[in-house]
Amino acid sequence: MRLFAIGDLHLSGGNAKPMDIFGPQWDRHFFHISENWREKVSDDDLVLIPGDISWAMHLEEAQKDLEEIGALPGRKILCKGNHDYWWNSISRVRSILPSGMQALQFSAVDVETAVVCGTRGWLFPTGEQQLDEANRKIFARETQRLRLALEEAWELAAGRPIVTMMHYPPMLAGEKETAFTKLLEEFHVHTVVYGHLHGQGIQNGFTGEYHKIQYYLVSCDSIGFTPVEIIVE
């Protein structure tokens, strides 16, 4: 089994949302993702999808998008993004997922060679910009949810690598010390995959090693609309 990741698929949710308004690279973007996916990923592989899966507003509207993803090769593990408004009760989400697809909500799953945990994350305060009261509350809640996911992963891992998926970046290229990274280091996470950043924002992301953790920005336009292989050894 190989491990891949690709985030921010932004399927239409039945609304025929024109993604090329965000740039010509988004024209027929899921067609290109599907072609590239089929070239790289086999049925024995695992693909992590860290959020912003569908523009649907309701769970029923997202079902077709989930089925299209489910028809692609490999097992898939999802977590929630900030635009996944259709994602409400985790039990309801899990009830409609196609075979071979799992959803994490500040929780973890054993994938044999590693343990994968996932949560949405949130904005974090930086030296240049602090959070308002509403965002501070969400940030505190999401920090606690990351801890819950990591605690479960730690129990399952028994010394095996922990891979964490988050939708929001846990750090930025110019702001690597955050409450999120401190937690990831506390639990000796091996690898983190995240998305959310697009266009000019991609330059603020960080892919590489920091404090012995490998970080991958995998929003689909940041990786050429092609699942990227994640090496976990």
Side-chain angles (χ1 to χ4, degrees):
M1 180 192 76
R2 295 175 299 166
L3 180 62
F4 293 87
I6 182 168
D8 302 84
L9 302 182
H10 285 296
L11 274 69
S12 68
N15 298 314
K17 186 177 178 69
M19 288 297 293
D20 58 359
I21 62 173
F22 300 109
Q25 70 274 23
W26 286 94
D27 182 43
R28 300 174 72 218
H29 76 288
F30 190 64
F31 170 79
H32 298 298
I33 288 172
S34 298
E35 279 198 328
N36 297 333
W37 187 311
R38 293 183 186 278
E39 286 180 3
K40 295 192 71 171
V41 179
S42 75
D43 286 335
D44 295 328
D45 295 330
L46 174 65
V47 183
L48 307 181
I49 305 175
D52 277 8
I53 299 154
S54 170
W55 286 108
M57 297 299 293
H58 305 286
L59 185 61
E60 296 75 16
E61 296 169 350
Q63 188 160 10
K64 182 180 178 181
D65 292 340
L66 294 170
E67 289 171 355
E68 288 192 19
I69 298 167
L72 294 170
R75 176 182 172 191
K76 298 92 181 174
I77 300 179
L78 321 175
C79 74
K80 184 179 182 180
N82 62 304
H83 289 297
D84 289 318
Y85 300 113
W86 56 273
W87 184 312
N88 39 46
S89 158
I90 185 61
S91 59
R92 289 196 63 213
V93 170
R94 288 171 175 160
S95 73
I96 71 160
L97 292 179
S99 176
M101 188 178 291
Q102 293 173 279
L104 297 180
Q105 186 162 293
F106 48 96
S107 56
V109 62
D110 191 328
V111 297
E112 297 182 5
T113 57
V115 170
V116 176
C117 66
T119 192
R120 182 185 62 177
W122 196 248
L123 306 172
F124 54 80
T126 69
E128 296 181 355
Q129 184 172 353
Q130 297 302 302
L131 301 181
D132 60 26
E133 183 178 357
N135 280 302
R136 283 199 304 272
K137 289 180 179 178
I138 300 173
F139 168 67
R141 184 184 68 199
E142 292 297 327
T143 303
Q144 180 60 24
R145 286 179 169 179
L146 177 58
R147 177 174 288 279
L148 291 172
L150 290 168
E151 286 175 346
E152 183 175 349
W154 184 263
E155 290 295 322
L156 290 172
R160 288 172 296 160
I162 296 174
V163 178
T164 300
M165 10 174 357
M166 299 179 67
H167 177 64
Y168 281 88
M171 59 139 76
L172 296 171
E175 193 83 30
K176 296 188 176 71
E177 300 285 345
T178 73
F180 295 133
T181 60
K182 289 175 183 176
L183 271 176
L184 296 165
E185 291 163 20
E186 178 183 338
F187 286 87
H188 304 287
V189 168
H190 184 284
T191 296
V192 179
V193 300
Y194 68 94
H196 188 65
L197 301 178
H198 301 289
Q200 293 298 313
I202 291 171
Q203 65 187 350
N204 296 319
F206 175 78
T207 292
E209 181 178 334
Y210 184 71
H211 286 185
K212 300 182 180 179
I213 299 176
Q214 294 290 332
Y215 290 86
Y216 292 83
L217 170 59
V218 297
S219 51
C220 65
D221 51 330
S222 74
I223 53 175
F225 301 92
T226 303
V228 63
E229 186 169 4
I230 306 299
I231 305 300
V232 180
E233 297 177 345

